[in-house]
Amino acid sequence: QSVLTQPPSASGTPGQRVTISCSGSSSNIGSNYVYWYQQFPGTAPKVLIYRSNQRPSGVPDRFSGSKSGTSASLAISGLRSEDEADYYCAAWDDSLSVLFGGGTKLTVL
Amino acid sequence: QVQLVESGGGVVQPGRSLRLSCAASGFIFSSYAMYWVRQAPGKGLEWVTVISYDGSNKYYADSVKGRFTISRDNPKNTLYLQMNSLTTEDTAVYYCARATVAWELLDGFDMWGQGTRVSVSS
């Protein structure tokens, strides 16, 4: 069982804004950075957000990350069909381990 | 550009061993902590282990502690994962990944390899 909690699924129509939540505790999200990864079937994950709200070069500004207390969110605005993928949050825990969320499957209707 | 290429995967019987390698290029390997992350078929991502830039610090997931060993050869720009006493639960695609920030360990990772598949089966 994942210690970071994500909804198993999310959906939206093209052009909509969708948010995916990631809930943790004071020992992980509450005190460490959050990372967000996007994964298409059969391919390696790709970082979308690092250090909670930073976007690597090449990632569209439609993707944004935020963190408040022991929860984090990934927002995707102007949803596109090519955004249909699995999304994972991750964070270090103070127990010196890295935790992943269970993943959220995003469907573009 | 940054490139990470894993190798060494395959089919192995339960109880046997396997060593994975990750060849790095396009960055100063000796400046970055490195990670192994795995993904069982149809499942989510699971962190396995991490090693600091100089190899002095290593941390493991409870599920592999005592069975897996991470190491690195900085002059050869290569990361390793020695896996012993394998079980069917270790069947997964194994990815190596690079830390986001040089010298930092407890931050996160951004660049990933394409993965190597390990299947433990009798």
Side-chain angles (χ1 to χ4, degrees), chain A residues 32-33 35 37 39 42-47 50-51 56 86 88 90-92 96-102, chain B residues 35 37 39 43-47 50 59-60 95 100-101 104-115:
Chain A
N32 295 292
Y33 292 121
Y35 281 65
Y37 302 98
Q39 186 181 34
T43 69
K46 166 192 164 185
V47 66
Y50 68 98
R51 289 192 160 187
D86 294 326
Y88 294 90
W92 269 95
L96 298 177
S97 62
V98 176
L99 305 177
F100 279 98
Chain B
Y35 295 72
V37 176
Q39 186 170 34
K43 301 296 185 183
L45 300 171
E46 180 189 14
W47 170 74
V50 61
Y59 302 112
Y60 298 90
Y95 298 99
T100 302
V101 180
E104 291 286 339
L105 179 59
L106 306 182
D107 190 318
F109 42 97
D110 58 352
M111 307 302 298
W112 298 61
Q114 289 307 300

Side-chain angles (χ1 to χ4, degrees), chain B residues 13-24:
Chain B
Q13 293 179 326
R16 304 299 292 265
S17 300
L18 205 60
R19 189 178 83 155
L20 306 183
S21 299
C22 170

Side-chain angles (χ1 to χ4, degrees), chain A residues 51-82:
Chain A
R51 289 192 160 187
S52 302
N53 57 15
Q54 301 299 301
R55 198 172 45 248
S57 59
V59 173
D61 58 7
R62 302 185 297 106
F63 294 91
S64 63
S66 63
K67 188 181 91 164
S68 178
T70 59
S71 293
S73 292
L74 173 71
I76 309 172
S77 60
L79 196 63
R80 297 184 178 184
S81 59
E82 57 260 38

Side-chain angles (χ1 to χ4, degrees), chain A residues 10-16 18 38 40 62 76 78-85 87 105-109:
Chain A
S11 63
T13 56
Q16 263 191 334
V18 171
Q38 177 190 55
F40 297 105
R62 302 185 297 106
I76 309 172
L79 196 63
R80 297 184 178 184
S81 59
E82 57 260 38
D83 297 332
E84 189 161 290
Y87 293 84
K105 183 177 182 63
L106 176 63
T107 300
V108 181
L109 302 169

